[in-house]
Structures are given as structure tokens and as C-alpha cells.
Amino acid sequence: MDMNKVTTAMIDYYKGDPKRIQHFLKVHAYAKLIGEQEGLDKETLEVLEVAALTHDIGIKVSEEKYNSSAGKYQEIEGPAVAQKMLGDLQYDKEKTERVCYLIGHHHTYDQINGIDYQILVEADFLVNLAEEHSSRQTIESVKNKIFKTKTGIWLINKIF
Ligand SMILES: [Fe+2]
């Protein structure tokens, strides 16, 4: 998959919302960096990158439907929207399934299954901790409880 196709589809989907657009661009950049540094195989890296670009695709529907961008609603609403977008882009069915699973679980931290899931969560935290101006205490707690990859731990230590 040409990642620029997913990137432009997501920019179009979130047109007029620079905050959301910049968020997924940053999460994608960190996810790609971590994935490459951790030596992911080509297929897993691709799924990770598509998931990083689309992980918050459910926010728009959540805000419209529930007036909330809470993680739980995004997890419920996101997969169907991604299914449609990736289907339009004729993306591989099996990979679409994993991407949708990741979208549906990216705010669930107690059942991380797979390096793609782990890295997506780490990349999202690297961006969210900065965007939310999180306290030193929160950063330390997230680092200890969530971060596992060598590159992710290196990044959280350097960035904050
Ligand atoms: Fe996010």
C-alpha cells in the first residue's frame, strides 16, 4: 500500500481540522520510526503504519453521535469507518481486518497482543503526553506501565 494514499484520504476525511490531521501525522511518524528501528517485517510495518494514520478515524462519528471523543466511543465507531475507507482504497482484506482490530483497541492497554499494537499505543502516547501537557508523574507512570520497546523507551526519555 502506498502510504500517501492513506495519508491523503485521512487528510480529506478530517479536512478543516488541523489538530486531528497533525495528530495522526505525528503518531504515524513515531510509529514508523519505532517499527523500523525495532526491525518489524515489511507486512507488520505496513499494518502498523496504516493503523497509525487511521487510529483516530472514529473520533468524527463519536463527536457527531455522542458529543464525545472518549476512547471507548472511538473504539466502537472507528472500525466501520476504516473498513469503508480502506475498502475504497482496495486495501488487502486480511490487513484491513488487523488495522480495524487495532483501531478498535488502541485505548485498551491491558490486552496488547502483538508488536504492531504495542508500537501504536507507544506512538499515540508520545504524541498525547505532549499535546495534553502531561505532568512528570503521568509521564513516568505511562513509561513504567505501558512502554516496552527499546526505541519507544528511548524516545520517551529523550522527548520529555
Ligand atoms: Fe491518537
Side-chain angles (χ1 to χ4, degrees), residues 20 23-24 27 52 54-57 59 74 106-107 120 123-125 127-128 131-132:
R20 299 286 180 220
H23 176 82
F24 71 70
V27 173
T54 58
H55 74 282
D56 279 339
I57 199 168
I59 288 187
Q74 289 182 48
H106 80 278
H107 283 281
L120 175 63
D124 200 23
F125 265 114
V127 175
N128 283 334
E131 286 182 352
E132 291 163 11

Tab-separated table of all heavy atoms in Angstrom, residues 20 23-24 27 52 54-57 59 74 106-107 120 123-125 127-128 131-132, ligand 1:
chain	number	residue	atom	x	y	z
A	20	ARG	N	-6.567	17.436	14.438
A	20	ARG	CA	-6.659	15.986	14.191
A	20	ARG	C	-5.654	15.532	13.133
A	20	ARG	O	-5.049	14.471	13.240
A	20	ARG	CB	-8.066	15.598	13.710
A	20	ARG	CG	-9.176	15.897	14.673
A	20	ARG	CD	-9.202	14.948	15.846
A	20	ARG	NE	-10.293	15.294	16.751
A	20	ARG	CZ	-10.198	15.255	18.070
A	20	ARG	NH1	-9.072	14.897	18.651
A	20	ARG	NH2	-11.224	15.585	18.813
A	23	HIS	N	-2.243	15.463	14.506
A	23	HIS	CA	-2.120	14.361	15.458
A	23	HIS	C	-1.761	13.055	14.749
A	23	HIS	O	-0.784	12.392	15.099
A	23	HIS	CB	-3.407	14.184	16.274
A	23	HIS	CG	-3.370	13.005	17.194
A	23	HIS	ND1	-2.767	13.059	18.436
A	23	HIS	CD2	-3.780	11.727	17.036
A	23	HIS	CE1	-2.840	11.856	18.994
A	23	HIS	NE2	-3.455	11.029	18.158
A	24	PHE	N	-2.521	12.682	13.728
A	24	PHE	CA	-2.228	11.367	13.126
A	24	PHE	C	-0.936	11.392	12.321
A	24	PHE	O	-0.274	10.364	12.197
A	24	PHE	CB	-3.435	10.793	12.363
A	24	PHE	CG	-3.814	11.467	11.074
A	24	PHE	CD1	-3.024	11.377	9.937
A	24	PHE	CD2	-5.021	12.170	10.988
A	24	PHE	CE1	-3.402	11.980	8.741
A	24	PHE	CE2	-5.408	12.778	9.799
A	24	PHE	CZ	-4.584	12.684	8.673
A	27	VAL	N	1.672	10.747	15.021
A	27	VAL	CA	1.611	9.352	15.500
A	27	VAL	C	2.204	8.422	14.427
A	27	VAL	O	2.964	7.500	14.742
A	27	VAL	CB	0.165	8.940	15.875
A	27	VAL	CG1	0.090	7.451	16.190
A	27	VAL	CG2	-0.323	9.757	17.071
A	52	ALA	N	-1.625	3.541	12.314
A	52	ALA	CA	-1.218	4.802	12.937
A	52	ALA	C	-1.916	5.985	12.251
A	52	ALA	O	-2.371	6.917	12.912
A	52	ALA	CB	0.301	4.964	12.867
A	54	THR	N	-4.797	5.874	10.675
A	54	THR	CA	-6.264	5.804	10.792
A	54	THR	C	-6.768	5.598	12.225
A	54	THR	O	-7.976	5.538	12.437
A	54	THR	CB	-6.819	4.634	9.934
A	54	THR	OG1	-6.200	3.405	10.362
A	54	THR	CG2	-6.539	4.843	8.452
A	55	HIS	N	-5.868	5.503	13.208
A	55	HIS	CA	-6.301	5.036	14.531
A	55	HIS	C	-7.424	5.869	15.155
A	55	HIS	O	-8.259	5.340	15.866
A	55	HIS	CB	-5.110	4.910	15.505
A	55	HIS	CG	-4.575	6.213	16.004
A	55	HIS	ND1	-3.761	7.032	15.254
A	55	HIS	CD2	-4.765	6.853	17.179
A	55	HIS	CE1	-3.461	8.108	15.955
A	55	HIS	NE2	-4.058	8.035	17.127
A	56	ASP	N	-7.434	7.169	14.866
A	56	ASP	CA	-8.463	8.031	15.455
A	56	ASP	C	-9.613	8.329	14.495
A	56	ASP	O	-10.361	9.281	14.686
A	56	ASP	CB	-7.833	9.353	15.934
A	56	ASP	CG	-7.164	9.209	17.292
A	56	ASP	OD1	-7.506	8.262	18.030
A	56	ASP	OD2	-6.301	10.047	17.611
A	57	ILE	N	-9.786	7.486	13.497
A	57	ILE	CA	-10.810	7.717	12.479
A	57	ILE	C	-12.216	7.739	13.079
A	57	ILE	O	-13.134	8.342	12.517
A	57	ILE	CB	-10.686	6.651	11.352
A	57	ILE	CG1	-11.396	7.097	10.074
A	57	ILE	CG2	-11.185	5.286	11.818
A	57	ILE	CD1	-11.061	6.226	8.854
A	59	ILE	N	-13.170	9.262	15.788
A	59	ILE	CA	-13.471	10.462	16.594
A	59	ILE	C	-14.590	11.302	15.978
A	59	ILE	O	-15.482	11.762	16.678
A	59	ILE	CB	-12.199	11.333	16.777
A	59	ILE	CG1	-11.239	10.646	17.747
A	59	ILE	CG2	-12.563	12.705	17.310
A	59	ILE	CD1	-10.036	11.490	18.119
A	74	GLN	N	-14.695	5.945	20.299
A	74	GLN	CA	-13.830	5.840	19.107
A	74	GLN	C	-13.596	4.389	18.749
A	74	GLN	O	-13.580	4.019	17.583
A	74	GLN	CB	-12.440	6.383	19.410
A	74	GLN	CG	-12.312	7.844	19.589
A	74	GLN	CD	-10.843	8.132	19.835
A	74	GLN	OE1	-9.990	7.636	19.105
A	74	GLN	NE2	-10.546	8.911	20.824
A	106	HIS	N	-7.193	0.562	20.469
A	106	HIS	CA	-5.991	1.365	20.763
A	106	HIS	C	-6.063	2.157	22.065
A	106	HIS	O	-5.074	2.749	22.484
A	106	HIS	CB	-5.607	2.246	19.562
A	106	HIS	CG	-6.401	3.511	19.415
A	106	HIS	ND1	-7.638	3.558	18.827
A	106	HIS	CD2	-6.118	4.778	19.787
A	106	HIS	CE1	-8.070	4.797	18.829
A	106	HIS	NE2	-7.176	5.562	19.415
A	107	HIS	N	-7.218	2.162	22.703
A	107	HIS	CA	-7.289	2.775	24.038
A	107	HIS	C	-7.407	1.713	25.127
A	107	HIS	O	-7.729	2.020	26.269
A	107	HIS	CB	-8.462	3.760	24.133
A	107	HIS	CG	-8.171	5.068	23.461
A	107	HIS	ND1	-7.406	6.048	24.045
A	107	HIS	CD2	-8.502	5.539	22.249
A	107	HIS	CE1	-7.288	7.068	23.218
A	107	HIS	NE2	-7.946	6.793	22.110
A	120	LEU	N	1.814	1.011	18.246
A	120	LEU	CA	0.761	2.006	18.028
A	120	LEU	C	0.438	2.736	19.337
A	120	LEU	O	0.343	3.969	19.371
A	120	LEU	CB	-0.508	1.331	17.471
A	120	LEU	CG	-1.729	2.240	17.321
A	120	LEU	CD1	-1.468	3.363	16.315
A	120	LEU	CD2	-2.963	1.426	16.913
A	123	ALA	N	3.365	5.085	20.294
A	123	ALA	CA	3.423	6.275	19.426
A	123	ALA	C	2.303	7.251	19.791
A	123	ALA	O	2.525	8.472	19.859
A	123	ALA	CB	3.315	5.859	17.955
A	124	ASP	N	1.105	6.729	20.056
A	124	ASP	CA	-0.024	7.594	20.421
A	124	ASP	C	0.264	8.295	21.749
A	124	ASP	O	-0.019	9.486	21.900
A	124	ASP	CB	-1.310	6.748	20.492
A	124	ASP	CG	-2.580	7.572	20.391
A	124	ASP	OD1	-2.539	8.705	19.852
A	124	ASP	OD2	-3.639	7.084	20.833
A	125	PHE	N	0.860	7.580	22.705
A	125	PHE	CA	1.204	8.208	23.987
A	125	PHE	C	2.272	9.282	23.819
A	125	PHE	O	2.190	10.338	24.455
A	125	PHE	CB	1.666	7.163	25.013
A	125	PHE	CG	0.554	6.686	25.908
A	125	PHE	CD1	0.118	5.371	25.860
A	125	PHE	CD2	-0.068	7.564	26.795
A	125	PHE	CE1	-0.917	4.934	26.685
A	125	PHE	CE2	-1.105	7.131	27.621
A	125	PHE	CZ	-1.527	5.815	27.555
A	127	VAL	N	2.712	11.267	21.461
A	127	VAL	CA	2.054	12.467	20.945
A	127	VAL	C	1.074	13.041	21.976
A	127	VAL	O	1.071	14.247	22.233
A	127	VAL	CB	1.338	12.154	19.610
A	127	VAL	CG1	0.554	13.365	19.120
A	127	VAL	CG2	2.352	11.706	18.562
A	128	ASN	N	0.278	12.169	22.582
A	128	ASN	CA	-0.736	12.656	23.534
A	128	ASN	C	-0.125	13.287	24.783
A	128	ASN	O	-0.631	14.291	25.286
A	128	ASN	CB	-1.682	11.513	23.942
A	128	ASN	CG	-2.692	11.205	22.846
A	128	ASN	OD1	-3.026	12.069	22.030
A	128	ASN	ND2	-3.174	9.972	22.805
A	131	GLU	N	0.762	16.709	23.653
A	131	GLU	CA	-0.416	17.526	23.321
A	131	GLU	C	-1.216	17.894	24.569
A	131	GLU	O	-1.818	18.956	24.635
A	131	GLU	CB	-1.328	16.764	22.339
A	131	GLU	CG	-0.761	16.715	20.925
A	131	GLU	CD	-1.663	15.996	19.916
A	131	GLU	OE1	-2.677	15.396	20.311
A	131	GLU	OE2	-1.328	16.030	18.728
A	132	GLU	N	-1.216	16.985	25.543
A	132	GLU	CA	-2.013	17.232	26.754
A	132	GLU	C	-1.179	17.859	27.882
A	132	GLU	O	-1.673	18.008	29.002
A	132	GLU	CB	-2.645	15.908	27.224
A	132	GLU	CG	-3.717	15.405	26.264
A	132	GLU	CD	-4.069	13.929	26.464
A	132	GLU	OE1	-3.642	13.331	27.470
A	132	GLU	OE2	-4.769	13.382	25.580
B	1	FE	FE	-4.437	9.220	18.877
